[in-house]
Amino acid sequence: MSQTLLFLPDISGFTKFVQSTELSHSQHIIAELLELLIKSNNMDLVLAEVEGDALFFYKEGPLPTKEELEAQIEAMMVAFYSQLRLLQKNRICPCQACISAPELDLKIIAHAGEVQFMTVQDKPKPFGPEVIQAHRLMKNSVDSDRYVLLSQALATQIGLQEGPQNQDRVFVSGRDSYDEVEVEYQYHVVRQETLDLIPHAPPTRVDLDTAPTFSIKRSFPVTAPELLEFITDYSRRPQWTDGLQGLEYNKDEVTRLGTPHTCIINDKHLNFTTVTKDGAPGQLVYGELTSSAAPIDQLYLFYLIDSDGDSACSLEFQAYMQGSALWKKGLIFLMSSMFKKNMGQGLDLLLEAVQNAPSSDASAS
């Protein structure tokens, strides 16, 4: 029987992250990370199962070369930690899930052996002692949350020796006992600074040197973070955006700087990107920019939220309607009063939606 590679990327810190943070955002963040790991599969691995915080891949023989396996591991490590850096740099949400996401880590376990398969819902699933062995190796004595571990059986077959593989990768021998059976492995602790992380465009921070075209103020009976969550949760937009015919956005992504969404209003597609600007100390700032609201060249919408105690906050909405040509500036002047009226009505609907939301929804982040 040919050898089968068993490959398990596992997110470290998952249990603490989910138990101690806001559920909705922690779910989105973990889902994003798992999706990235799946997309980083460059070796035609077959996904057998999503196991909560881990992915269980396999690949029937022949086994990959040492170089192929190292390249696959590198691709997943780079994708994972690049995403964590993006979440950290572009975060706008103050919830604990979004703040603590960069503290997550990744470990990868790999093993090989003769594997049987069983069919569950017309899908083959690896089965047998070697599958059990691979999962046991996830519970080891390695003193780190960021590492790569290869069973000695796999390491031997691909020619991986203990010691330096290159200047950044040094494998060390380890062993643990499972049900009184000693299992040997090779592992190396990954240093994040050695990874060639994917560069991301810097977050869009706007420095506007003019006063807003208009502003509107409202008070809300929820905390500032709760109101920010309500505004940035695009699934709620129909509750307070009059004339909204459709909304296009990534439902599995937490809103952050650079996040796009499209509002369809009066048969027009308005493409927005999340931006920010400097606010007062302690102030929460969320902004959107569109260049598709003709005749306006650039339309900035900012929501500045200040805390007013334990269960209340104040909102200042600011609109910047910019046009380069003189005729556009004239039209903007004529349009601004109607736009202000419509936005005022929208904020009234927002207040009504917040007041009518179940307490668990209003406080979810």
Side-chain angles (χ1 to χ4, degrees):
M1 187 180 296
S2 64
Q3 296 284 300
T4 296
L5 174 70
L6 305 175
F7 190 88
L8 295 101
D10 182 19
I11 298 177
S12 304
F14 170 82
T15 301
K16 179 182 177 182
F17 178 69
V18 171
Q19 291 179 345
S20 62
T21 64
E22 295 78 3
L23 188 58
S24 64
H25 281 199
S26 62
Q27 286 177 324
H28 285 309
I29 290 168
I30 294 297
E32 281 188 65
L33 292 170
L34 291 175
E35 288 283 358
L36 275 173
L37 292 174
I38 293 170
K39 290 177 182 177
S40 301
N41 173 11
N42 302 326
M43 215 166 57
D44 295 326
L45 299 167
V46 179
L47 180 63
E49 204 76 58
V50 177
E51 301 177 340
D53 57 344
L55 299 171
F56 179 23
F57 290 102
Y58 70 91
K59 184 177 183 180
E60 297 183 79
L63 293 177
T65 65
K66 182 182 73 171
E67 291 73 21
E68 289 170 339
L69 188 58
E70 288 178 340
Q72 177 61 83
I73 291 169
E74 181 85 3
M76 288 191 173
M77 285 286 179
V78 167
F80 183 87
Y81 287 103
S82 295
Q83 182 69 7
L84 290 189
R85 175 181 285 185
L86 176 66
L87 292 174
Q88 183 177 35
K89 290 175 60 178
N90 288 11
R91 177 179 66 84
I92 59 171
C93 177
C95 82
Q96 193 59 33
C98 292
I99 291 173
S100 61
E103 298 174 11
L104 293 168
D105 273 309
L106 180 66
K107 54 182 179 280
I108 296 178
I109 313 297
H111 178 48
E114 295 183 354
V115 173
Q116 294 77 42
F117 289 86
M118 61 179 179
T119 301
V120 179
Q121 293 184 335
D122 298 324
K123 185 175 181 180
K125 302 281 188 179
F127 178 77
E130 302 302 338
V131 175
I132 295 172
Q133 184 84 297
H135 284 81
R136 281 175 170 170
L137 285 169
M138 299 174 74
K139 306 297 183 183
N140 55 66
S141 57
V142 175
D143 188 20
S144 175
D145 290 326
R146 184 193 306 128
Y147 61 87
V148 175
L149 184 152
L150 276 60
S151 70
Q152 189 59 54
L154 173 59
T156 298
Q157 292 187 76
I158 64 174
L160 177 71
Q161 302 292 326
E162 180 181 5
Q165 307 302 306
N166 59 38
Q167 62 180 355
D168 298 324
R169 190 179 300 120
V170 179
F171 274 86
V172 179
S173 293
R175 63 181 64 194
D176 286 298
S177 292
Y178 305 94
D179 295 335
E180 300 182 355
V181 176
E182 196 169 74
V183 178
E184 297 182 343
Y185 51 80
Q186 300 282 340
Y187 74 92
H188 86 86
V189 176
V190 177
R191 292 185 295 124
Q192 190 172 339
E193 62 270 19
T194 66
L195 298 174
D196 187 15
L197 299 185
I198 301 168
H200 295 284
T204 305
R205 185 172 295 274
V206 179
D207 184 16
L208 298 166
D209 56 2
T210 61
T213 307
F214 66 85
S215 63
I216 305 171
K217 294 183 178 182
R218 291 286 188 274
S219 296
F220 288 81
V222 292
T223 66
E226 289 168 358
L227 181 58
L228 179 66
E229 165 64 14
F230 215 100
I231 292 171
T232 59
D233 182 353
Y234 299 140
S235 69
R236 298 181 183 273
R237 287 295 172 96
Q239 299 178 34
W240 56 281
T241 305
D242 191 34
L244 185 65
Q245 298 168 300
L247 195 61
E248 299 171 0
Y249 65 99
N250 186 346
K251 296 179 176 62
D252 296 321
E253 181 179 291
V254 177
T255 302
R256 54 181 172 262
L257 295 179
T259 296
H261 73 275
T262 299
C263 292
I264 305 172
I265 301 177
N266 298 326
D267 297 325
K268 293 182 179 179
H269 287 65
L270 303 179
N271 302 313
F272 287 94
T273 301
T274 303
V275 297
T276 191
K277 67 172 184 171
D278 291 333
Q283 190 175 62
L284 300 180
V285 179
Y286 169 73
E288 299 176 354
L289 164 66
T290 181
S291 300
S292 53
I296 304 169
D297 289 335
Q298 291 183 312
L299 174 62
Y300 294 92
L301 308 177
F302 283 101
Y303 300 80
L304 285 66
I305 309 172
D306 290 288
S307 176
D308 286 341
D310 293 337
S311 58
C313 65
S314 57
L315 167 70
E316 180 178 358
F317 171 81
Q318 296 179 346
Y320 293 80
M321 306 168 67
Q322 298 181 342
S324 56
L326 186 61
W327 67 270
K328 290 184 178 181
K329 294 179 180 180
L331 282 177
I332 289 172
F333 176 78
L334 296 174
M335 294 167 56
S336 60
S337 59
M338 179 59 71
F339 187 25
K340 181 177 181 178
K341 178 182 177 181
N342 291 340
M343 281 306 308
Q345 293 172 346
L347 295 181
D348 291 339
L349 291 173
L350 175 61
L351 175 58
E352 184 179 334
V354 169
Q355 291 173 327
N356 292 335
S359 57
S360 59
D361 288 351
S363 60
S365 294

